[in-house]
Amino acid sequence: MNAQVTVPERSPIAFTVRGGLISNNGDLASQIRLKTDYDNTWAVNTYYATAAEAVLGIDVIRLRTTDIVLHISALGAEPELRAKSPTGDHKVADSQLGIARASITFSFNNDNYKMFGMPWHTNHEAILGITGSFMYSTNFELSNFAKDTLGISNIKGDQAVKSLGITFGWNWRILDSGWVIGLNGSILWFADENPLLRFETGEASLYNPAKLTFAPRILQAGIGYHF
């Protein structure tokens, strides 16, 4: 009697945690201008902050040499807003940033095998895809410089705004286990008519109100498990 051996399919689910840095596009720094001198400005931006992200991955389509994967994630960071000019560098506020995003990625290999292919597999993959997010910022704690020098009375950022971009990375499977380590990067562009932050100044302030758009640049390392 002949018996046919069936190779079991892996679960389409993976869970990953990542940590790294997030920053804004430097060209988007908010220009807080002196009311009596248009060219006298402070460039306010988030610059760099540490960020943590939890990611749920779902294999949507499995092809012979690639997987098309949907990633749903939540990212949190506590960026510090700083004001810079040729004459100084000062803290403006502490804040909290939240990002909910979804990505679609394709995996690539130079040996025509997938990292979790059956019965044969490779131990590495490159990924490339598109990503989109909703972002919001809240819990601002103004510094004395923000209140006394710039005259900022309030920062508003609790309205969710959109961004779109690309994501890319490299993953390595740990031996024949379900564990994977990887590096990941994302470049997003602002895709909303509303800014992420609005800086409000009082009537007595020497500076005009301003706004800040946010186009995230993210670099991370992570570890995940493919069930």
Side-chain angles (χ1 to χ4, degrees):
M1 178 181 296
N2 294 327
Q4 182 175 2
V5 177
T6 301
V7 177
E9 280 288 325
R10 292 193 66 91
S11 167
I13 303 298
F15 183 76
T16 303
V17 291
R18 297 174 182 159
L21 295 175
I22 184 170
S23 68
N24 190 19
N25 184 339
D27 294 337
L28 297 179
S30 177
Q31 302 297 320
I32 297 184
R33 301 182 182 276
L34 194 66
K35 291 179 180 177
T36 56
D37 184 354
Y38 183 81
D39 293 327
N40 192 327
T41 66
W42 287 92
V44 178
N45 211 339
T46 59
Y47 301 99
Y48 292 94
T50 57
E53 187 173 26
V55 186
L56 176 66
I58 304 171
D59 293 348
V60 178
I61 299 176
R62 288 172 167 171
L63 302 175
R64 188 176 68 85
T65 60
T66 186
D67 289 330
I68 301 174
V69 184
L70 170 66
H71 307 266
I72 301 172
S73 66
L75 180 150
E78 296 184 350
E80 183 180 84
L81 293 164
R82 298 197 66 85
K84 296 184 179 182
S85 78
T87 60
D89 180 347
H90 299 275
K91 177 179 176 179
V92 172
D94 291 317
S95 67
Q96 292 182 337
L97 174 69
I99 299 179
R101 64 170 172 157
S103 308
I104 293 287
T105 65
F106 299 80
S107 59
F108 301 92
N109 281 296
N110 57 7
D111 51 14
N112 293 324
Y113 292 112
K114 298 187 296 186
M115 197 162 60
F116 285 96
M118 291 186 173
W120 299 284
H121 66 84
T122 184
N123 66 345
H124 62 275
E125 66 178 3
I127 63 169
L128 180 65
I130 58 174
T131 183
S133 77
F134 284 95
M135 311 175 292
Y136 70 94
S137 190
T138 187
N139 293 339
F140 302 100
E141 295 184 8
L142 294 172
S143 68
N144 290 332
F145 174 82
K147 293 183 286 188
D148 299 338
T149 301
L150 299 181
I152 295 175
S153 57
N154 190 28
I155 301 176
K156 290 185 177 180
D158 54 359
Q159 180 180 3
V161 294
K162 301 182 290 292
S163 64
L164 295 170
I166 60 172
T167 186
F168 50 89
W170 297 266
N171 293 321
W172 294 269
R173 184 175 177 179
I174 301 176
L175 301 177
D176 286 330
S177 71
W179 292 97
V180 175
I181 58 174
L183 299 174
N184 183 266
S186 297
I187 301 175
L188 294 98
W189 290 268
F190 197 75
D192 205 295
E193 61 183 13
N194 296 307
L196 177 65
L197 301 180
R198 296 182 186 273
F199 300 96
E200 299 180 347
T201 57
E203 292 185 4
S205 172
L206 299 177
Y207 290 84
N208 288 305
K211 60 185 180 180
L212 175 70
T213 55
F214 193 75
R217 274 67 175 132
I218 306 170
L219 182 62
Q220 301 166 306
I223 184 168
Y225 189 80
H226 288 237
F227 295 93

